[in-house]
Amino acid sequence: MSADERQGLGADQLAAYYTLMEVGSLLEQAVAQHLREDGDLSPVQAQILAVLGDTSEDGLRMTDIADRIVYSRSGFSYQAGKLEQRGLITRAPAADDERSTLLSLTAEGRDLLRRVRPGHVELVRMLVFEAMPDADVQALRNVLEPVRDRLRQDPPRSARAQARRNTRD
Amino acid sequence: MSADERQGLGADQLAAYYTLMEVGSLLEQAVAQHLREDGDLSPVQAQILAVLGDTSEDGLRMTDIADRIVYSRSGFSYQAGKLEQRGLITRAPAADDERSTLLSLTAEGRDLLRRVRPGHVELVRMLVFEAMPDADVQALRNVLEPVRDRLRQDPPRSARAQARRNTRD
DNA sequence: TATTGTTATACTCTATAACTATA
DNA sequence: TATAGTTATAGAGTATAACAATA
């Protein structure tokens, strides 16, 4: 937090971390505002629709989607209920395993996705990529994709126990 | 959202955008969990404490802090109230302008900051920087700092009107 | 017994607008 | 009149745990 004492991170790393977090949060806010105003969608609802729109399957199980979106199961049910109420998705028990629920886009859901996407893409282009050279786009991917893979697999469990030992000032 | 039709973004840009968002959100979740478990702090509360801990001033006005943290004023009052209840900060009217409220860290607030920081830094080091070459740290800063500056100044107002014209499929 | 998902409940956070007080 | 901040109120989202149904 304060910059006057550092153990594990140098000044450059700390600056990179702050910048990364600030960009992530400002960008998420801007995108969330757009999705809400343009499609009355919360970020999670938009993610669910996007995942359903990107698959070629007939439907996806809740658990399969939850694997791609970090989220509690109850919160997921709540959001899926919202989307179903609005007629954007359907919920149906899976044929092979009746415990599972298959989510599918309705025609209206697909329409909404098509209606919102251009503005979403244009917003991101303006905010992030308008002045970014192609080489920087590549650099961003090269640097962040390994971090993403690490974060995906790493439930941040062990960190605290290990870090606490450094807490003795 | 779906990748089969793109107007303003190439595949690389889209991939970079998705990766950036996912890293931001996974990292924020991990950090938020740590701050909650280790210091019972919400992300915003932690940010307020961090800003207060990083300044050399006697206290900061609400508005000065809000400038560094995107947040509504009422939400800010709510969070400041929480921190004051816990004895981590004090609120006092400013001497020169009695409309303003000066926030200051108490000794307990400073202690909490010192107690939580090592684990926070260590978590970020493990999740982000352990396997990242110094050159990549530089690259990340070079690419993202201009984006951050753009996002800071850019209230995402005009995007929708401009983007809607592309919506005619 | 374990897994998938839903629901009840309580809580936190956020947004809007009305309000107080100072400038 | 404009600005700084608070508060009332209402709503959205989230987490936990208890629950039902299926494997």
Side-chain angles (χ1 to χ4, degrees):
Chain A
M1 326 277 261
S2 89
D4 53 1
E5 185 191 54
R6 281 173 268 97
Q7 299 155 348
L9 292 181
D12 284 340
Q13 293 173 319
L14 218 45
Y17 163 58
Y18 282 140
T19 303
L20 178 60
M21 292 295 270
E22 186 170 350
V23 167
S25 115
L26 289 174
L27 191 54
E28 202 215 302
Q29 281 191 320
V31 166
Q33 180 183 341
H34 168 253
L35 292 170
R36 184 163 31 80
E37 291 177 357
D38 222 37
D40 194 23
L41 293 170
S42 74
V44 185
Q45 289 168 10
Q47 268 190 294
I48 295 175
L49 292 185
V51 170
L52 290 175
D54 276 344
T55 188
S56 51
E57 312 280 329
D58 276 6
L60 291 177
R61 294 164 59 228
M62 302 273 288
T63 302
D64 294 336
I65 303 176
D67 283 348
R68 312 191 198 183
I69 303 173
V70 188
Y71 216 58
S72 74
R73 284 182 306 169
S74 71
F76 213 134
S77 277
Y78 172 81
Q79 298 288 355
K82 291 273 190 183
L83 291 172
E84 189 184 34
Q85 277 174 26
R86 285 179 61 186
L88 301 174
I89 67 170
T90 57
R91 285 194 279 194
D96 57 327
D97 182 345
E98 299 217 328
R99 292 173 304 182
S100 299
T101 299
L102 283 182
L103 303 191
S104 308
L105 278 182
T106 63
E108 295 85 51
R110 216 169 280 280
D111 284 350
L112 179 60
L113 216 40
R114 265 210 303 277
R115 186 165 66 69
V116 167
R117 196 194 326 121
H120 180 179
V121 168
E122 175 59 15
L123 178 64
V124 172
R125 195 191 62 73
M126 289 194 334
L127 292 177
V128 178
F129 294 109
E130 195 150 64
M132 187 184 293
D134 285 348
D136 283 9
V137 178
Q138 289 304 329
L140 204 52
R141 292 188 62 181
N142 291 337
V143 173
L144 288 185
E145 282 174 4
V147 176
R148 177 201 60 193
D149 294 341
R150 160 137 212 173
L151 286 167
R152 274 185 181 165
Q153 66 177 165
D154 203 291
R157 27 181 162 51
S158 58
R160 267 182 13 266
Q162 189 175 358
R164 271 233 180 80
R165 288 200 294 274
N166 301 328
T167 303
R168 308 234 103 283
D169 284 4
Chain B
M1 329 275 264
S2 88
D4 54 3
E5 186 192 53
R6 278 172 271 100
Q7 298 156 345
L9 291 182
D12 284 340
Q13 293 172 320
L14 217 45
Y17 164 57
Y18 282 139
T19 303
L20 179 59
M21 292 296 268
E22 186 170 349
V23 166
S25 115
L26 289 174
L27 193 53
E28 202 215 302
Q29 282 192 320
V31 167
Q33 180 182 342
H34 168 252
L35 291 170
R36 185 164 30 81
E37 292 178 356
D38 223 37
D40 193 23
L41 294 170
S42 76
V44 186
Q45 288 167 11
Q47 268 190 294
I48 295 175
L49 292 186
V51 170
L52 290 175
D54 275 345
T55 188
S56 52
E57 312 281 329
D58 274 7
L60 290 177
R61 293 164 61 229
M62 303 274 287
T63 301
D64 294 336
I65 302 176
D67 284 347
R68 313 192 196 183
I69 303 174
V70 187
Y71 217 58
S72 74
R73 284 182 306 167
S74 71
F76 212 133
S77 278
Y78 172 80
Q79 298 289 354
K82 291 274 191 184
L83 290 173
E84 189 183 34
Q85 277 173 26
R86 285 180 61 188
L88 301 174
I89 67 169
T90 56
R91 285 195 277 195
D96 56 327
D97 181 344
E98 298 219 328
R99 294 173 304 180
S100 300
T101 300
L102 282 182
L103 303 191
S104 306
L105 279 182
T106 62
E108 295 85 52
R110 214 167 280 280
D111 284 350
L112 179 61
L113 215 42
R114 262 212 305 278
R115 187 164 65 70
V116 167
R117 195 196 324 124
H120 179 180
V121 168
E122 175 59 14
L123 178 64
V124 172
R125 197 191 61 74
M126 290 194 335
L127 292 176
V128 179
F129 295 109
E130 192 150 65
M132 188 184 292
D134 286 348
D136 284 9
V137 177
Q138 289 303 329
L140 204 54
R141 293 188 60 180
N142 291 337
V143 173
L144 288 185
E145 281 173 4
V147 176
R148 177 201 61 193
D149 294 340
R150 161 136 209 175
L151 287 167
R152 273 185 181 167
Q153 68 178 161
D154 203 291
R157 26 179 162 51
S158 57
R160 267 180 15 260
Q162 189 174 0
R164 269 230 183 83
R165 289 198 293 274
N166 301 329
T167 306
R168 308 236 104 283
D169 283 4

